[in-house]
Each structure stands twice: as C-alpha cells, then as structure tokens.
Amino acid sequence: MDRESFEKLKALAQQGHTKSQFRLGMQYIQQDDCGQGMRWLERASTMGDMQALFQLAIMYYDGVGTLPNLTKGVELLKEVVANNDPAFSYLIPHAHYNLGMAAFMGYGMKQDDKVAEHYWLLAGKEGDPDGSVAAQAQLGMYYTRRDTKDLKKAFYWHYFAAENGSLESKGALGVMYYRGTGTTVNKELASSVSVRLVRQARCLLRVTS
C-alpha cells in the first residue's frame, strides 16, 4: 500500500470506520508494528468486528506481537463462535477448529479429547467445503489413533478433506484405498488419488518458488 492510500485508510479509521480500523491494524502488523496493529484491532473488535476479534485471539494464543496468553486467546475464540452476525459466519468453523486444537493439546483449557472432537465436528460441517478443511483432515487423523480408532470415520473425513483441497488427506486417502483401510481395496483409485496429489503439489511448488 502506498503512503497516500495508507494515510486515507488511517483517516477513515480515526473517524471510527470499523472495517478501516481492521485493515489499518493488519497493515501495521504487515509492517512489523504489532503494537499499533493490535491497538487498532482492539478498537475494531469493540465495534463488533469479529474478524478483528479472531485475529486478536490468534495473536494472543500464539504470542504474536504480545506475550502468549492462551486463556485469553481461548476466551476470544469463544466470543467469535457465540456471535450471530451472518456477515462473520465464515469465521466460526475456523474458530471451532482452533478451540478443538486447544482442547486436544490442553493449552488454554483442560485437555479433553471428547471436547476437541466436538469442536472439530462443528468445524468440519459434515464435509461441507465451507467448513474448516483443517478440522476435516484433523478428524481423519483423530479416528486413526489407538484410543479413538474408527477407520470408517477416518476414511469419511479424509475423503471430504481431500475433496476440499487437503494435500495431507489426499496422501492418506491414497494409502487407505490401496490398503482397504476404512473402505474396500481399490488400487485404481489409490493410483488416481496419488497422481492428483503429485500434480497439486507441483502446482503449489511453482506458485511458491
């Protein structure tokens, strides 16, 4: 963003324009001024901007621009999922996914596999593309663990996560088709999934190189 655009954005933010406050906060963060960035995100969040609140939750949880505060990060994520504004509904699966990870790891809340599973199921939205793909892939792995094993469920979640773009789940799906894990053996499909995985990985490498 050039200097003139930045100053216009800052003026709008100072006038109380909530989306501009969020954008200004993110601009400061991109410029490595996380202190100023967080201040503007705080102002936007107090005006009801859930995108700003979600960003703050992640920053507090991960300790980006501030000392880590896992409990506060979890509290803010819970505020995001409790919000009923349809304009921010797209954030809820991602907040649920992160709450699931917090419960699974026991960071910021009591460790509890069942609570983690509950949040991931909410985030996964039955495999819907609008759900959290990370949660869908996580459920695929969760159901292959010794204590929570259900291979049909593992296949189900890896299938939808793969369909929604998860490279990790595409790799798992190829193995599951090949071995007949949670599904019937289908080496033709295993080969097809593997070929698509390699193609997608090559495309990503070209984009990032």
Side-chain angles (χ1 to χ4, degrees):
M1 179 180 288
D2 60 47
R3 188 67 190 175
E4 183 180 355
S5 298
F6 180 83
E7 290 301 327
K8 286 180 179 178
L9 177 63
K10 188 174 181 180
L12 285 170
Q14 289 171 335
Q15 292 166 20
H17 188 263
T18 307
K19 289 191 179 298
S20 296
Q21 291 172 345
F22 169 74
R23 289 181 58 209
L24 182 62
M26 295 305 295
Q27 280 293 317
Y28 275 119
I29 290 166
Q30 289 171 18
Q31 295 170 14
D32 292 326
D33 190 345
C34 291
Q36 279 279 34
M38 290 188 77
R39 279 190 282 276
W40 282 106
L41 291 178
E42 292 277 7
R43 289 178 68 172
S45 69
T46 59
M47 298 297 291
D49 191 308
M50 290 297 106
Q51 197 172 4
L53 191 66
F54 179 80
Q55 186 65 39
L56 284 168
I58 299 304
M59 292 179 77
Y60 277 115
Y61 195 86
D62 291 338
V64 177
T66 184
L67 292 173
N69 189 330
L70 303 178
T71 302
K72 185 165 185 177
V74 166
E75 288 174 354
L76 295 183
L77 286 171
K78 288 181 176 179
E79 287 185 37
V80 172
V81 302
N83 179 67
N84 295 318
D85 187 341
F88 297 108
S89 60
Y90 68 95
L91 290 170
I92 293 177
H94 305 293
H96 276 141
Y97 165 71
N98 282 285
L99 285 169
M101 291 303 299
F104 187 67
M105 301 298 293
Y107 295 158
M109 66 169 72
K110 181 181 177 182
Q111 197 288 324
D112 192 317
D113 284 359
K114 286 296 181 183
V115 171
E117 180 187 21
H118 169 72
Y119 280 127
W120 289 333
L121 287 169
L122 290 173
K125 297 182 70 173
E126 298 183 346
D128 193 295
D130 290 335
S132 165
V133 179
Q136 293 164 2
Q138 189 66 39
L139 284 163
M141 292 183 286
Y142 178 78
Y143 290 124
T144 60
R145 297 169 68 239
R146 184 180 61 185
D147 296 337
T148 53
K149 185 174 287 187
D150 187 325
L151 296 179
K152 288 186 177 180
K153 287 183 179 180
F155 177 82
Y156 173 93
W157 285 107
H158 275 311
Y159 175 84
F160 282 107
E163 286 292 300
N164 294 329
S166 169
L167 288 176
E168 191 172 31
S169 284
K170 282 182 181 178
L173 201 62
V175 174
M176 295 178 91
Y177 275 128
Y178 188 84
R179 295 180 177 174
T181 304
T183 186
T184 54
V185 172
N186 191 325
K187 294 188 177 181
E188 185 177 344
L189 272 176
S191 176
S192 174
V193 169
S194 298
V195 168
R196 282 185 289 158
L197 173 62
V198 170
R199 287 175 179 168
Q200 189 175 351
R202 284 175 177 169
C203 286
L204 285 173
L205 284 173
R206 282 197 290 271
V207 169
T208 56
S209 61

Short mmCIF file of all heavy atoms in Angstrom, two decimals, residues 1-7 27:
data_model
loop_
_atom_site.label_atom_id
_atom_site.label_comp_id
_atom_site.label_asym_id
_atom_site.label_seq_id
_atom_site.Cartn_x
_atom_site.Cartn_y
_atom_site.Cartn_z
N MET A 1 0.85 -1.19 0.00
CA MET A 1 0.00 0.00 0.00
C MET A 1 0.89 1.25 0.00
O MET A 1 1.81 1.35 0.82
CB MET A 1 -0.91 0.00 1.24
CG MET A 1 -1.82 1.20 1.34
SD MET A 1 -2.88 1.18 2.81
CE MET A 1 -4.04 -0.11 2.37
N ASP A 2 0.62 2.17 -0.95
CA ASP A 2 1.43 3.39 -1.00
C ASP A 2 1.07 4.34 0.16
O ASP A 2 0.05 4.15 0.83
CB ASP A 2 1.29 4.10 -2.35
CG ASP A 2 -0.14 4.53 -2.65
OD1 ASP A 2 -0.79 5.11 -1.77
OD2 ASP A 2 -0.61 4.28 -3.78
N ARG A 3 1.91 5.35 0.35
CA ARG A 3 1.75 6.24 1.51
C ARG A 3 0.42 6.98 1.49
O ARG A 3 -0.24 7.14 2.51
CB ARG A 3 2.91 7.25 1.52
CG ARG A 3 2.97 8.11 2.79
CD ARG A 3 3.31 7.23 3.99
NE ARG A 3 3.15 7.94 5.23
CZ ARG A 3 3.29 7.37 6.43
NH1 ARG A 3 3.59 6.08 6.52
NH2 ARG A 3 3.13 8.07 7.53
N GLU A 4 0.00 7.43 0.30
CA GLU A 4 -1.25 8.18 0.20
C GLU A 4 -2.45 7.31 0.59
O GLU A 4 -3.33 7.74 1.35
CB GLU A 4 -1.44 8.71 -1.23
CG GLU A 4 -2.68 9.56 -1.40
CD GLU A 4 -2.85 10.09 -2.82
OE1 GLU A 4 -1.93 9.86 -3.66
OE2 GLU A 4 -3.89 10.70 -3.11
N SER A 5 -2.46 6.08 0.10
CA SER A 5 -3.56 5.16 0.43
C SER A 5 -3.57 4.84 1.92
O SER A 5 -4.63 4.74 2.55
CB SER A 5 -3.42 3.86 -0.37
OG SER A 5 -3.52 4.12 -1.75
N PHE A 6 -2.36 4.68 2.49
CA PHE A 6 -2.25 4.40 3.91
C PHE A 6 -2.83 5.54 4.75
O PHE A 6 -3.56 5.31 5.71
CB PHE A 6 -0.78 4.15 4.28
CG PHE A 6 -0.57 3.84 5.74
CD1 PHE A 6 -0.75 2.55 6.23
CD2 PHE A 6 -0.20 4.85 6.63
CE1 PHE A 6 -0.55 2.27 7.58
CE2 PHE A 6 0.00 4.57 7.97
CZ PHE A 6 -0.19 3.28 8.44
N GLU A 7 -2.51 6.79 4.36
CA GLU A 7 -2.99 7.94 5.13
C GLU A 7 -4.51 8.08 5.01
O GLU A 7 -5.19 8.45 5.98
CB GLU A 7 -2.31 9.21 4.65
CG GLU A 7 -0.83 9.30 5.01
CD GLU A 7 -0.58 9.24 6.51
OE1 GLU A 7 -1.42 9.73 7.29
OE2 GLU A 7 0.47 8.68 6.92
N GLN A 27 -2.46 -3.70 8.35
CA GLN A 27 -1.34 -3.03 7.67
C GLN A 27 -0.17 -2.82 8.62
O GLN A 27 0.99 -3.07 8.26
CB GLN A 27 -1.80 -1.68 7.11
CG GLN A 27 -2.57 -1.76 5.81
CD GLN A 27 -1.71 -2.24 4.66
OE1 GLN A 27 -0.56 -1.81 4.50
NE2 GLN A 27 -2.26 -3.13 3.85
#
